[in-house]
Amino acid sequence: QTESAGPQKLLPPAEADDGFVERRVKTPLHCALGNEPWQTLENATEPPGAQNSALGRVAWTLGVEDPARAAVSAYHAYGGAHPRVERVVLLPPSSQAETFAYTMTDQVEGTAALRYALPSAADTRLTRVEVAWDNRLLDQLVRQRMPEAGDYVPGDFERGGTGAQRAVPALLSIGGGGIYLRPHKSPPSQPTYFLDGHGVVELSEVAFPRVQAGNLRHEMSRAAGVHLPLLIERDGFFVVRARLGAEPRFDAFALGLSDPKAFDMVQFATMTYVDKEPAFHVFVQSASGRTAKGWVLPLAAGDAVFEPALPVPSQLDLADPPAACDESVMRSAPRLVVPLAPGTRHPIQVSDPSEPIRLLLSGWAVVYPAPNGPCMAALDAEGLSEQLGGTGEELSALLLLSELKNSWLFRRVRDEPGADPRVEYRPMSCRFDAGLRLPAEVLRAPGTAVLLER
């Protein structure tokens, strides 16, 4: 059964790649660092980006792992009168890490983690199973145990460098007020476990019809309290949904183009939520970046795969400077993480009492549809030297639009060539400054060239 609600047709962009080009940026921001020293995010190797920001009560979150102790934690950053960064534990450190396999993954909602005891000749089962999830959208931090998860299957874990082994589950996915787990990488069959912090529900395996497409992934979601197995084409072409029962029923929905590159388009589909219910955000942008469209399709549990599509904004639709989102919009409207388009980048100048001026350019943004026009919740940025191919500091930033005075600057530092980087942060205060004078290098950076009409 194929549903046809939502966008019916997507035409190739009516624009010429050989048109005139103009260099543009949007209103700059000036940021000032205080006297606070750089602080280290222990165990972090990458800084947070837009996808990690403006999640519920936190300004940003970042999952980190410690293989030597088979441990997983998450950082939570808060603004307000006294900005702070706290570290919360998902999986506590073990003094016998070599006897465990574990994994961690960053997700739309926050961080998920899995750990279990390695099987032995005497007991080939996966035992002492711990599943933890940090769902910032619902303000949940949960760790739940299972006695065992069936017999070991080759490929369930891989050898790590030091400490614990790396678990390779088929599925570890936050959703529906809990988390879904398929602990084995690829056995002939296995159940799906749904954990909600109180109990464990075992769901039977679903054998999806054979699909002639590559780049597929299996997923689970929960709409209107109903568990729904999903088969998703990763680039956002289609979704196949199963409804559980004595005889599973399958429904398919085409989300976009099967070959977007053939039309000079960029396309992706990601999960989001509408009033705490799961939905798909479908984003399509022309390769030149002059046009961009988005839809949110709430997942349904009945005959239709999705509820009617809701048009949603891109960065091209934002005012300059953008309006900040208020809490009521962020509680009820879909959260959208959208890429930059040419001409939408904001230059960011960072001054310091004792260090040279730093320059960054904005990138991805968290935006929401709102009654009075689209608004922005957060904006990430990267150092200008990285975009121009330089070898300077590896800088990035996160700016929260509703609280620009509580923004964050990050840097990756290597104590010596080839060493693992560490991530450091400092709080900073930012404001839009239309009169800020910027060097010419800003307009030579990628993402500033706008294709004009002939």
Side-chain angles (χ1 to χ4, degrees):
Q1 175 181 340
T2 302
E3 297 296 333
S4 58
Q8 301 297 308
K9 184 183 293 185
L10 185 65
L11 298 175
E15 55 190 54
D17 289 338
D18 61 348
F20 297 107
V21 168
E22 179 181 85
R23 295 282 179 170
R24 291 183 199 160
V25 292
K26 288 197 168 184
T27 302
L29 293 107
H30 178 261
C31 300
L33 290 163
N35 295 316
E36 301 89 347
W38 288 99
Q39 299 289 323
T40 299
L41 295 173
E42 296 291 343
N43 301 120
T45 58
E46 297 286 344
Q51 71 277 9
N52 309 107
S53 65
L55 285 163
R57 295 189 303 116
V58 299
W60 53 266
T61 182
L62 183 68
V64 296
E65 54 186 311
D66 181 359
R69 300 191 294 172
V72 174
S73 302
Y75 287 103
H76 295 169
Y78 298 91
H82 303 286
R84 66 193 190 280
V85 177
E86 299 176 352
R87 185 167 180 164
V88 298
V89 175
L90 278 76
L91 297 176
S94 170
S95 59
Q96 298 178 317
E98 68 280 359
T99 66
F100 288 96
Y102 86 104
T103 193
M104 180 206 83
T105 175
D106 279 324
Q107 303 193 357
V108 170
E109 304 85 353
T111 304
L114 166 69
R115 183 169 67 185
Y116 53 77
L118 295 174
S120 64
D123 190 348
T124 60
R125 298 173 301 162
L126 306 183
T127 59
R128 297 161 60 191
V129 180
E130 298 173 276
V131 185
W133 61 100
D134 182 32
N135 186 335
R136 289 299 85 215
L137 293 175
L138 296 182
D139 201 17
Q140 292 179 332
L141 176 60
V142 184
R143 180 158 62 102
Q144 188 171 343
R145 293 180 173 87
M146 294 171 55
E148 54 92 15
D151 286 332
Y152 161 75
V153 175
D156 280 352
F157 52 85
E158 301 171 347
R159 185 170 299 281
T162 58
Q165 306 293 306
R166 175 69 59 180
V168 189
L171 181 67
L172 182 66
S173 181
I174 299 172
I179 193 166
Y180 293 97
L181 170 66
R182 294 185 191 125
H184 306 286
K185 180 181 179 181
S186 56
S189 64
Q190 66 172 313
T192 299
Y193 300 102
F194 178 71
L195 300 85
D196 63 2
H198 305 286
V200 180
V201 176
E202 185 174 324
L203 305 169
S204 59
E205 184 193 33
V206 172
F208 278 88
R210 189 175 184 84
V211 176
Q212 297 297 321
N215 207 19
L216 300 172
R217 68 181 174 95
H218 290 267
E219 185 58 88
M220 289 288 301
S221 193
R222 193 182 185 202
V226 178
H227 299 290
L228 298 171
L230 303 172
L231 180 65
I232 303 170
E233 199 277 332
R234 291 179 186 268
D235 294 330
F237 172 33
F238 65 82
V239 171
V240 181
R241 183 202 63 181
R243 282 182 282 174
L244 300 174
E247 292 293 334
R249 181 179 176 183
F250 301 95
D251 305 278
F253 190 98
L255 294 171
L257 298 169
S258 61
D259 186 9
K261 291 182 180 178
F263 296 95
D264 289 329
M265 305 291 280
V266 176
Q267 173 180 286
F268 65 76
T270 56
M271 295 293 292
T272 185
Y273 291 86
V274 179
D275 288 332
K276 299 182 180 180
E277 288 290 307
F280 277 72
H281 172 212
V282 183
F283 179 86
V284 183
Q285 181 170 290
S286 62
S288 68
R290 255 181 50 197
T291 60
K293 299 290 184 182
W295 298 270
V296 163
L297 297 100
L299 192 62
D303 290 337
V305 179
F306 292 106
E307 302 294 345
L310 311 170
V312 293
S314 71
Q315 289 204 47
L316 289 171
D317 301 310
L318 294 166
D320 183 23
C325 300
D326 61 38
E327 289 187 11
S328 62
V329 168
M330 295 171 65
R331 280 195 302 268
S332 58
R335 177 179 179 270
L336 314 167
V337 183
V338 294
L340 64 91
T344 64
R345 309 195 82 164
H346 291 271
I348 299 163
Q349 180 177 292
V350 181
S351 59
D352 183 273
S354 59
E355 297 180 13
I357 288 175
R358 298 173 169 92
L359 288 172
L360 301 93
L361 275 175
S362 67
W364 290 67
V366 179
V367 303
Y368 287 81
N372 296 324
C375 60
M376 181 185 290
L379 186 67
D380 70 18
E382 57 183 343
L384 188 59
S385 61
E386 285 74 60
Q387 299 174 47
L388 297 177
T391 57
E393 288 183 301
E394 295 183 59
L395 290 173
S396 63
L398 277 176
L399 289 74
L400 282 298
L401 270 289
S402 63
E403 204 174 21
L404 280 171
K405 66 180 181 179
N406 290 325
S407 297
W408 309 82
L409 183 68
F410 303 91
R411 70 178 183 184
R412 295 174 80 234
V413 180
R414 286 181 171 84
D415 294 326
E416 57 185 41
D420 291 336
R422 70 175 184 274
V423 177
E424 299 178 336
Y425 74 91
R426 287 177 70 182
M428 61 183 181
S429 177
C430 300
R431 60 181 174 84
F432 284 101
D433 185 352
L436 191 64
R437 299 187 66 179
L438 298 165
E441 287 82 1
V442 167
L443 291 178
R444 292 202 291 267
T448 61
V450 179
L451 186 67
L452 301 176
E453 298 282 0
R454 292 187 68 89

